[in-house]
Every structure is written in structure tokens, then in C-alpha cells.
Amino acid sequence: MSRTLPPTPAASAGTAAPAGHAPVYDRIGVGYSSIRRPDHRWAAQIEASLGDARTVLNLGAGTGAYEPEGRTLVAVEPSLEMRAQRGPLAAPCVVASAERLPFDDQSFDAVMAVLTVHHWTDLEAGIAELQRVARRFSIVTYDMDVQRNFWFTRDYVPEIAEAECSRVPSLERLTKLLGPCEVAELPVWHDFTDGFMTAFWRRPQAYLDPATRRACSAFALTDERAVDRGVTRLRDDLDSGAWHRRYADLATRDHIDAGFRLLTGESLHAARTEASA
């Protein structure tokens, strides 16, 4: 498989100002790849959303999760810690920010952005840039109107929802910026392998593990004292059996809707370019 950059002169520039999430993940990203392992069901859905795109830009690429094979792919990742965990077969990685991409207009057939838009310092600029450099987009984000009702957030650390709502863009805002797009649910299965906060909805003991919590920005960006209080209450409820009694219905469920959404569509920039041609 080809792993070379598309033939665009600007790609060699390579070092735009880092995106806002770089300092966060340089701090919390240690051991990230061992906890945040891509789930094959999401991988299949994300890859299908890219259609017949031959050249793909992975924006906010992290350690390389969900990068599809069989396509010419380029990654953008500002965090040194995350780049260090990219495997030898991962796509070539450019150090840049979402808000200032070092690529020519329409350099890629498609751009993918998986769980990254909430870390951008300027959402409008980032959306404009991804639409400028690619003809199609595939974005994974989450709806806080749904996720704030997740049992751990609601009943143990409500401060997480408060912190997340201040930085996670609403679906209404995202779709307004993106233009016409399809919105699909991404279910979270009980044996999900990508260890973000809601992944362990049927495995509550996982939240007691500091390494598991460290691999999730929702914990890292919430008041540590609030997280500690919630984890202590959860430990007590697990020890007493109160958690299993309260959430007994979860044991019968195979998956939940935790608010994750896949947004796909055609770039407004590409449409305007074609209309003016």
C-alpha cells in the first residue's frame, strides 16, 4: 500500500502552530495506545463512510486508530507523545493544527476527524480548513445532550458533563458549519475496545483504574477532586452491591447509545469550486 504524501507543494511546509490538544495529550497520552484500541465495528463504519476516496487526511490522528488500509493516507497530529506511539505501519504524520493545514486546496479525496473537534481552539477555522483541503468529510463526535445522562456522569461525577459541555460543540453548531450532511449513530458495545469514558458502561470496575481514566480527556479536564469523590462513591457502591442492584438492567444489554455520531458529507468548498468552474 502506498503511504506517500499526495503531490502537493504545500505539504512539505509541515509545521504550522500546534492545535490546542497537544499540551493535553503530551500530559495524559502516556500509555494511550494500550487503553484506546480501535474497535473493529467503528473502524468498519468509518471506513465505509469514506466511500471510494483514494487519498485521505486523518486530522487529529493521535496514535493512528481507525486509519483505513488500502488508501494513500496522511496524518496530522500536534502532540509529540501521541506521535511517538504511532506504529511503524502508521501513515506519515505532519505536525500541524486543524486551524492551519499545510496543504493545497482539494489535496485529498476525503478527510477524517475522529474524536478531535472538541479539542480545536477555533472550531470555525478548523471546519473551514478541512473543507478546503478535501472533497468529502467523515467526522466522529458526540452529543452531550445524550452523554450527560450516562450513569457515571449523571450519578457519580456530574462535573464531567459541566466541563464537557463547555468545550464539545453541539450537533446543531457542527452541522450548521458543515452544511448538508448525514448523521449516523455509532453504538457502544459492551465489549468495546476503545477505552473512552463511556466504553466501560457495563464494566464499572474499569473506572477505578487511574491508567484507564488518564487515557480519557473527559477525566483529565475535570476537577481532580470531583473525579476522586465520584470514584470513591463508585468503589463503595461496587463493594456493597448497590451499583449492581441499581443498574441491573445493563447486564441484559448488548450496546447503548452514548451519543456518538458519525457526520459525513461533501465539502462546501468543493461544491462552490465545481459550481464556479
Side-chain angles (χ1 to χ4, degrees):
M1 177 182 68
S2 172
R3 286 294 195 182
T4 57
L5 290 167
T8 167
S12 62
T15 54
H21 84 269
V24 172
Y25 279 95
D26 283 342
R27 174 167 54 87
I28 73 171
V30 178
Y32 188 92
S33 58
S34 64
I35 302 294
R36 300 296 298 271
R37 295 174 290 115
D39 188 90
H40 67 94
R41 291 155 291 200
W42 271 30
Q45 199 166 343
I46 292 168
E47 180 163 13
S49 75
L50 296 171
D52 61 358
R54 292 177 295 175
T55 57
V56 179
L57 177 67
N58 187 12
L59 189 54
T63 61
Y66 302 109
E67 291 180 354
E69 297 182 354
R71 307 176 196 241
T72 299
L73 198 144
V74 179
V76 168
E77 174 52 51
S79 167
L80 175 62
E81 179 61 42
M82 300 299 274
R83 293 196 307 274
Q85 296 180 58
R86 294 179 64 80
L89 298 180
C93 192
V94 175
V95 184
S97 70
E99 298 85 351
R100 187 184 174 194
L101 295 173
F103 304 105
D104 291 337
D105 292 0
Q106 306 301 284
S107 295
F108 301 88
D109 294 329
V111 58
M112 56 186 287
V114 180
L115 298 178
T116 180
V117 298
H118 54 289
H119 291 300
W120 297 354
T121 57
D122 186 334
L123 181 66
E124 289 81 359
I127 295 297
E129 277 289 86
L130 73 81
Q131 296 218 15
R132 179 184 66 79
V133 302
R135 296 183 175 276
R136 180 173 179 79
F137 59 83
S138 180
I139 297 172
V140 176
T141 185
Y142 49 102
D143 184 351
M144 280 306 301
D145 287 342
V146 176
Q147 196 163 115
R148 72 187 309 153
N149 288 316
F150 175 56
W151 65 260
F152 183 82
T153 305
R154 183 190 63 231
D155 299 337
Y156 290 93
V157 191
E159 292 85 355
I160 288 178
E162 296 171 11
E164 291 280 272
C165 285
S166 68
R167 66 192 185 96
V168 178
S170 67
L171 289 182
E172 180 182 8
R173 184 183 180 199
L174 268 177
T175 54
K176 183 177 181 179
L177 291 171
L178 289 166
C181 60
E182 295 183 8
V183 180
E185 178 187 335
L186 287 169
V188 180
W189 286 266
H190 71 93
D191 56 351
F192 207 72
T193 59
D194 191 346
F196 45 63
M197 187 190 70
T198 51
F200 305 103
W201 59 272
R202 219 175 83 176
R203 295 168 286 170
Q205 292 83 358
Y207 296 111
L208 307 182
D209 179 15
T212 298
R213 299 197 302 271
R214 187 171 58 244
C216 177
S217 63
F219 288 107
L221 298 177
T222 300
D223 181 10
E224 185 176 355
R225 293 168 298 179
V227 173
D228 288 344
R229 286 195 300 269
V231 169
T232 298
R233 288 198 299 271
L234 175 60
R235 181 181 290 108
D236 291 344
D237 285 352
L238 288 172
D239 289 344
S240 69
W243 186 92
H244 292 89
R245 291 190 296 272
R246 186 179 305 141
Y247 304 105
D249 63 303
L250 294 181
T252 66
R253 302 187 63 178
D254 185 58
H255 65 275
I256 63 169
D257 175 11
F260 292 96
R261 301 292 183 262
L262 176 62
L263 281 54
T264 56
E266 301 298 322
S267 165
L268 293 175
H269 186 280
R272 286 192 293 266
T273 301
E274 291 174 1
S276 63

